[in-house]
Each structure stands twice: as structure tokens, then as C-alpha cells.
Amino acid sequence: MDYGIRKVLKEKELSSGKIQMCRMGGSIYAVLVFNKRGALIDSVCNVCDGKSSKAMLLELNKEYRIRLDKLMKGEDF
């Protein structure tokens, strides 16, 4: 399933699942977390447009790192 993903910016696949930071469409960016069977288990998104786009992308990158850390530790979402 593609979930409306236009472009994958970052992706990491681990034995416990997969995490992606991607552009969904327009100015919407998201972090998606999948379990090892490929089902979506967590997500967060931001609208990155105008003057605040850099700050919003930095915040989304922070969320990516938090979720990647949880995924690496095998924690539940």
C-alpha cells in the first residue's frame, strides 16, 4: 500500500519494522512506522509551507529520530 506517498526522504528497515520520512503531497510531510508485516503502526505529519517550513521539517526530523530509537529498541507504539 502506498498511503499517498510522493517521495521517500529517509528510510530505515530493521528486523522489528520499517520507518520512513516522506512527502505526502503538496506541503504535507510525514513519518510513517510499519511493523515487520508491513502494517502501519504509527504516524505523525506536519504541513511544511511558507516561512515555517524549515522549522517544521526540523521538528519532523526530531520525531523521526524518536520513533527510530523506539523501533531499534523494539518498544511498542
Side-chain angles (χ1 to χ4, degrees), residues 10-74:
K10 286 182 169 183
E11 180 176 52
K12 185 88 170 179
E13 193 155 350
L14 306 166
S15 60
S16 57
K18 179 171 72 169
I19 185 168
Q20 293 179 332
M21 183 172 165
C22 50
R23 183 174 185 177
M24 301 302 279
S27 56
I28 299 173
Y29 291 80
V31 173
L32 306 174
V33 182
F34 302 91
N35 65 11
K36 55 187 163 190
R37 293 182 303 273
L40 184 66
I41 57 172
D42 190 37
S43 65
V44 63
C45 67
N46 260 340
V47 175
C48 303
D49 195 17
K51 294 179 183 178
S52 66
S53 65
K54 184 176 180 181
M56 293 305 224
L57 281 171
L58 288 173
E59 188 64 32
L60 198 60
N61 193 48
K62 187 190 318 182
E63 293 295 328
Y64 176 88
R65 289 190 310 257
I66 290 168
R67 283 161 173 74
L68 177 60
D69 188 49
K70 285 179 76 171
L71 196 60
M72 290 174 107
K73 292 177 182 176

